[in-house]
Amino acid sequence: MTAKKLDTWEEAVHWLRQQPDQQKLVLDAYYDDPILQAAERYWRSGEWAAIRKFLPQAPGTAVDIGAGRGIASYALAKEGFEVTALEPDASDLVGAGAIRELSNEAHLPISIAEEFSEKLPFSDNTFDVVFARAVLHHTTDLSAACREFFRVLKPGGRFIAVREHVISSERDLPVFLERHPLHKLYGGENAFLLKAYQNSIVSAGFKMERLLRPFESEVNFAPYTPAELKAEIGARIAARLPLLAKITPVLLSFPSVWAIFSHVAAKFDRRPGRLYSFVATRPQ
């Protein structure tokens, strides 16, 4: 890693894309070009397939909070939603400029608002879906942001926040930041306690519908596929308990066993920065 501190997120991503040993991370984070190809890959990914299950059956209006390059905006538009991408960074690589390029190339009408999430430039009851991918942990005021999401969501609308970094204690935060591949370059990363996310969402007025734990859904463990994740876990168990090497893959292949395993594993998982996702609704 470079020791030089960079001034912008765009510079950090540009640096990452130049590193031969980081190309898998570039692809996994959808930082590659052509941008239309990256967005299409996201729309076809297992992560989006899992998210799609939580979208309303009838497409309506959606806002993509902290849209970045616009890959989720593209996916929502492909699903038939009328999409507004909220992205304060004007960058042509990782911000509003990239979204404009993507919208033009894909011939999808994606509106862009260059604002921050803590004070949304929208009227009350505007959207059927408020979508946020890896956004909440970047907010300067988590509770205020959730109140704004509630305000702009229509009654009966859905709030979907995915891939949020969680820590078990405040002591874990420096450990997470030290391990993050880009934080040293630019900063800006963060993580909250699980209860902080839950309290902020519920206190804003939302009804929590689903809490997705780290191993429960491809929403969180992508870019691993379910088969790849089970193989990796099976190999780690076998390395510690060789007698279980043959039976573990068989057991993990049963959906009921995997459901129990993923639930129990979350109780013991203390990795700083592990990913959780949240699905909530605004009551009618």
Side-chain angles (χ1 to χ4, degrees):
M1 300 290 284
T2 179
K4 181 183 177 182
K5 196 77 170 181
L6 302 177
D7 294 327
T8 67
W9 181 243
E10 179 179 31
E11 289 179 351
V13 172
H14 179 73
W15 179 88
L16 186 73
R17 299 203 318 177
Q18 306 309 308
Q19 309 309 306
D21 62 338
Q22 296 292 334
Q23 293 312 296
K24 184 178 185 306
L25 177 57
V26 170
L27 289 171
D28 289 345
Y30 302 97
Y31 290 145
D32 56 304
D33 285 327
I35 190 170
L36 179 57
Q37 181 176 302
E40 180 73 11
R41 193 171 72 252
Y42 177 69
W43 180 61
R44 296 182 181 278
S45 70
E47 178 189 333
W48 185 256
I51 290 170
R52 186 183 289 120
K53 298 175 183 177
F54 299 111
L55 295 173
Q57 290 186 346
T61 54
V63 59
D64 179 15
I65 304 292
R69 306 189 82 205
I71 60 168
S73 297
Y74 173 88
L76 286 163
K78 289 277 282 188
E79 301 294 340
F81 285 87
E82 180 184 333
V83 180
T84 298
L86 186 92
E87 176 49 56
D89 192 333
S91 166
D92 289 337
L93 176 60
V94 292
I99 301 171
R100 290 190 182 93
E101 178 185 347
L102 177 60
S103 176
N104 291 335
E105 289 189 9
H107 305 291
L108 291 172
I110 300 172
S111 301
I112 300 171
E114 295 185 40
E115 298 287 351
F116 290 91
S117 59
E118 285 85 353
K119 192 172 183 180
L120 300 179
F122 310 118
S123 301
D124 297 356
N125 311 326
T126 298
F127 299 103
D128 297 292
V129 171
V130 172
F131 182 83
R133 183 180 188 266
V135 167
L136 298 189
H137 61 269
H138 289 294
T139 58
T140 55
D141 188 330
L142 179 59
S143 294
C146 288
R147 288 194 296 270
E148 279 292 274
F149 302 153
F150 183 87
R151 179 183 66 79
V152 303
L153 194 63
K154 295 177 183 178
R158 188 155 295 171
F159 173 45
I160 304 172
V162 301
R163 299 178 69 83
E164 296 297 345
H165 291 300
V166 167
I167 51 176
S168 299
S169 72
E170 297 297 342
R171 295 188 301 273
D172 289 341
L173 183 57
V175 178
F176 164 65
L177 297 179
E178 176 68 23
R179 294 175 180 175
H180 194 280
L182 287 178
H183 183 73
K184 289 181 181 179
L185 294 177
Y186 171 61
E189 279 301 326
N190 195 16
F192 293 112
L193 299 171
L194 179 59
K195 66 180 181 181
Y197 292 110
Q198 293 173 302
N199 290 345
S200 294
I201 292 170
V202 173
S203 64
F206 288 108
K207 177 184 177 183
M208 189 75 76
E209 300 287 351
R210 286 292 301 274
L211 170 67
L212 299 177
R213 299 171 179 84
F215 300 114
E216 185 178 351
S217 171
E218 201 164 348
V219 174
N220 295 324
F221 60 70
Y224 278 102
T225 67
E228 289 170 340
L229 180 64
K230 291 173 185 178
E232 175 73 15
I233 291 173
R236 294 191 180 193
I237 292 174
R240 291 174 173 266
L241 301 168
L243 293 177
L244 298 179
K246 291 184 177 180
I247 192 172
T248 298
V250 176
L251 290 174
L252 293 180
S253 68
F254 290 101
S256 57
V257 174
W258 178 252
I260 294 171
F261 171 84
S262 62
H263 185 82
V264 173
K267 295 183 179 298
F268 295 94
D269 188 0
R270 309 289 289 182
R271 291 171 299 146
R274 59 196 180 276
L275 297 178
Y276 277 74
S277 295
F278 310 89
V279 180
T281 56
R282 175 174 173 173
Q284 293 280 3

